[in-house]
């Protein structure tokens, strides 16, 4: 339907059981995580609860997610979307991170960043902003700076009861620049069509080449496809990874 939002697409996808919805593989470490729809849904629900109940945030709150393609990134994004937050995927384009969006007059209410990108944020996030480090390896982080929290530890303190996915409306702002949830849904559908993604497809994504969640997360959700995220995918290993994962589409 034309009025479907990314939240509704996620809710549909997360209601399906059985085969993996999202697979994450790191060529550098050999880590492989495979999540069914209900498993990803529980992580997303905990993320929503962390933002809503732990941070006191809700519809219209501004969230910056400076994270690479990863199963934890999917959980953070779906969690933020499910409670109607305005999410910025890449709040900076060059060195020197602005706390405000261009033309904005409010700081972010929450920030999610990897330890590798922490230096961009360490001195630039004002007091009162909820700050989370999201590791891309297994387990909790061993070293977290003062003023920041480890997402993987904090999220487990919260319930995995699914939020009310129907509460987000197509005209609600999905990003700080005012782009609506309905517009995101249309973009995701267009990208899925450009990629010729269909229900049941398995999309393999090179994480280093495609950080935009519209491509590696929302487009597959819109098409009813599953996704395999490959981090640190060396060109010499690409064919071997494709043979091992057996995708129907490669991005």
């Amino acid at each position: 339907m034309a009025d479907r939002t990314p939240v509704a697409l996620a809710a549909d996808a997360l209601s399906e059981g059985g085969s993996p919805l999202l697979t994450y593989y790191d060529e550098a470490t050999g880590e492989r995580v495979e999540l069914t729809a209900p498993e990803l849904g529980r992580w997303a629900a905990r993320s929503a609860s962390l933002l809503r109940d732990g941070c006191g945030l809700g519809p219209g709150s501004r969230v910056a997610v400076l994270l690479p393609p990863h199963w934890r990134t999917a959980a953070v994004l779906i969690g933020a979307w499910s409670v109607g937050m305005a999410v910025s995927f890449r709040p900076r384009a060059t060195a020197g991170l602005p706390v405000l969006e261009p033309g904005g007059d409010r700081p972010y209410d929450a920030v999610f960043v990897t330890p590798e990108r922490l230096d961009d944020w360490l001195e630039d996030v004002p007091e009162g902003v909820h700050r989370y480090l999201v590791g891309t390896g297994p387990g909790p982080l061993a070293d977290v700076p003062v003023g920041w929290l480890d997402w993987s530890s904090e999220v487990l303190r919260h319930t995995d009861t699914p939020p009310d996915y129907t509460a987000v409306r197509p005209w609600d702002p999905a990003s700080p620049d005012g782009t609506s949830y309905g517009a995101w849904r249309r973009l995701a559908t267009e990208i899925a069509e450009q990629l010729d993604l269909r229900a049941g497809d398995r999309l393999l994504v090179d994480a280093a080449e495609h950080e935009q969640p519209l491509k590696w997360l929302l487009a597959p959700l819109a098409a009813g496809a599953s996704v395999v995220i490959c981090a640190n995918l060396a060109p010499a290993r690409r064919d071997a990874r494709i043979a091992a994962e057996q995708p129907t589409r490669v991005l």
Side-chain angles (χ1 to χ4, degrees):
M1 294 176 61
D3 62 350
R4 301 284 280 165
T5 67
V7 179
L9 296 175
D12 287 348
L14 298 179
S15 68
E16 301 293 333
S19 59
L21 176 65
L22 189 150
T23 302
Y24 174 80
Y25 191 89
D26 188 336
E27 288 282 355
T29 64
E31 180 191 10
R32 189 177 190 276
V33 177
E34 199 169 70
L35 297 177
T36 64
E39 288 169 337
L40 179 58
R42 286 191 287 272
W43 283 106
R46 289 184 185 276
S47 294
S49 179
L50 170 66
L51 288 165
R52 184 188 60 236
D53 303 329
C55 301
L57 304 180
S61 295
R62 296 157 58 101
V63 180
V65 180
L66 187 60
L67 302 173
H70 193 276
W71 71 265
R72 287 176 173 168
T73 306
V76 169
L77 288 172
I78 295 173
W81 292 332
S82 67
V83 287
M85 296 183 180
V87 179
S88 178
F89 300 144
R90 294 299 301 269
R92 68 170 176 85
T94 58
L97 177 69
V99 172
L100 300 178
E101 287 282 336
D105 58 359
R106 288 170 45 203
Y108 294 106
D109 299 298
V111 168
F112 295 85
V113 64
T114 61
E116 295 78 12
R117 294 173 175 176
L118 180 60
D119 287 345
D120 293 331
W121 285 94
L122 200 54
E123 303 298 329
D124 294 324
V125 181
E127 294 295 328
V129 174
H130 301 277
R131 315 172 196 189
Y132 293 96
L133 280 183
V134 182
T136 55
L141 295 172
D143 186 19
V144 179
V146 174
W148 292 78
L149 295 171
D150 173 27
W151 175 87
S152 65
S153 299
E154 295 299 315
V155 78
L156 291 175
R157 305 176 190 272
H158 294 273
T159 178
D160 61 2
T161 302
D164 180 8
Y165 289 103
T166 65
V168 180
R169 302 164 300 180
W171 53 87
D172 289 337
S175 59
D177 66 3
T179 303
S180 70
Y181 275 93
W184 273 14
R185 181 266 175 194
R186 290 189 291 274
L187 284 170
T189 301
E190 290 172 5
I191 292 171
E193 291 173 351
Q194 291 168 6
L195 297 175
D196 196 27
L197 281 178
R198 304 173 188 274
D201 273 340
R202 183 170 168 85
L203 175 69
L204 187 142
V205 178
D206 184 340
E209 297 296 325
H210 301 283
E211 285 203 348
Q212 170 57 260
L214 277 166
K215 284 192 173 181
W216 67 263
L217 182 59
L218 280 182
L221 289 180
S226 61
V227 63
V228 180
I229 301 168
C230 292
N232 299 304
L233 183 59
R237 291 285 301 160
R238 181 182 173 88
D239 289 345
R241 184 52 43 203
I242 291 172
E245 298 294 343
Q246 297 185 333
T248 58
R249 298 285 185 274
V250 177
L251 183 60

